[in-house]
Amino acid sequence: SEGMGKTFYMFLCVLMMSSCKFFTSKDVLLENTEKLINSQITLYEDSVFTSDELKLLIFIPDTSDCASCRMMIYHWRMYKEDLSTRGIDCNFIYILNDSLYLDENTTALVNSCDMLYSNGLKKMYELNDDIPLETFDAYLVDCNNKIRLVGNPVQNIDLWGLYRNKMKELIKK
């Protein structure tokens, strides 16, 4: 039953993310999704990582001219509030490119939304060179640092339902 559920989630992620700009074929997407789901992710030492909570890691390789726009802070804030109303605790953590620094206003906005950030994208890729983390820009990671879902629910609202359901399931365990 759990294997069937895992397959269902992977299939749904693949379907929903098939229009993702990073891929030229659904086969590549499926292959990378299979490598990611249930992979153990290694996190670098930083106070933003708490081992006993769910983590939604949001990778930000570049912010262009508008950090808060690229980070989609207001969108993620709505999801954070959705979880809060349901009693689901999950840390939303932006992993920024090492060379990116947030201005005072963006930092204040992230903090006011009860989200976290860290500069360490390069380190994250180095520590996990055996899994294709660069494939997606959002990952649901459980308290044991296993990747449970991949894909950006801000870009696909249906994917948010999967994230929320998976979080409920993980909290019950």
Side-chain angles (χ1 to χ4, degrees):
S1 171
E2 184 178 347
M4 191 171 169
K6 175 183 154 191
T7 304
F8 173 74
Y9 279 116
M10 287 182 5
F11 177 73
L12 244 46
C13 287
V14 169
L15 281 178
M16 287 187 255
M17 296 304 296
S18 63
S19 64
C20 185
K21 64 184 176 186
F22 298 111
F23 300 100
T24 56
S25 91
K26 290 180 182 177
D27 292 337
V28 172
L29 179 64
L30 181 59
E31 180 181 322
N32 285 337
T33 302
E34 288 175 348
K35 284 182 186 176
L36 289 164
I37 299 295
N38 290 320
S39 292
Q40 186 74 32
I41 188 169
T42 303
L43 305 174
Y44 54 90
E45 285 192 38
D46 193 302
S47 62
V48 300
F49 302 118
T50 309
S51 62
D52 62 344
E53 289 190 25
L54 294 174
K55 295 169 273 302
L56 206 156
L57 304 180
I58 307 155
F59 290 7
I60 307 291
D62 182 19
T63 60
S64 303
D65 293 334
C66 178
S68 63
C69 301
R70 174 63 177 96
M71 293 170 71
M72 298 184 256
I73 296 170
Y74 292 107
H75 293 86
W76 288 111
R77 179 183 185 173
M78 288 188 315
Y79 287 155
K80 181 97 172 147
E81 289 174 3
D82 177 39
L83 293 178
S84 179
T85 63
R86 298 166 192 275
I88 299 172
D89 289 325
C90 180
N91 285 328
F92 284 46
I93 306 170
Y94 290 101
I95 308 297
L96 305 173
N97 193 334
D98 302 65
S99 63
L100 295 178
Y101 292 95
L102 302 181
D103 62 41
E104 186 177 305
N105 293 332
T106 305
T107 300
L109 180 59
V110 170
N111 291 336
S112 73
C113 295
D114 195 27
M115 293 186 259
L116 307 167
Y117 72 92
S118 175
N119 292 81
L121 189 61
K122 182 179 177 185
K123 185 73 167 172
M124 189 68 80
Y125 289 155
E126 287 172 1
L127 289 171
N128 298 284
D129 65 350
D130 58 327
I131 53 176
L133 286 178
E134 66 283 346
T135 304
F136 296 99
D137 58 1
Y139 299 86
L140 177 61
V141 177
D142 69 15
C143 60
N144 297 313
N145 295 331
K146 283 192 173 191
I147 297 172
R148 304 310 297 250
L149 284 176
V150 299
N152 190 333
V154 169
Q155 297 171 347
N156 185 327
I157 190 74
D158 293 331
L159 191 54
W160 180 243
L162 286 175
Y163 269 77
R164 192 175 50 230
N165 290 337
K166 184 55 118 176
M167 288 179 201
K168 283 185 210 173
E169 175 187 316
L170 292 169
I171 289 173
K172 288 180 182 177
K173 289 184 177 184

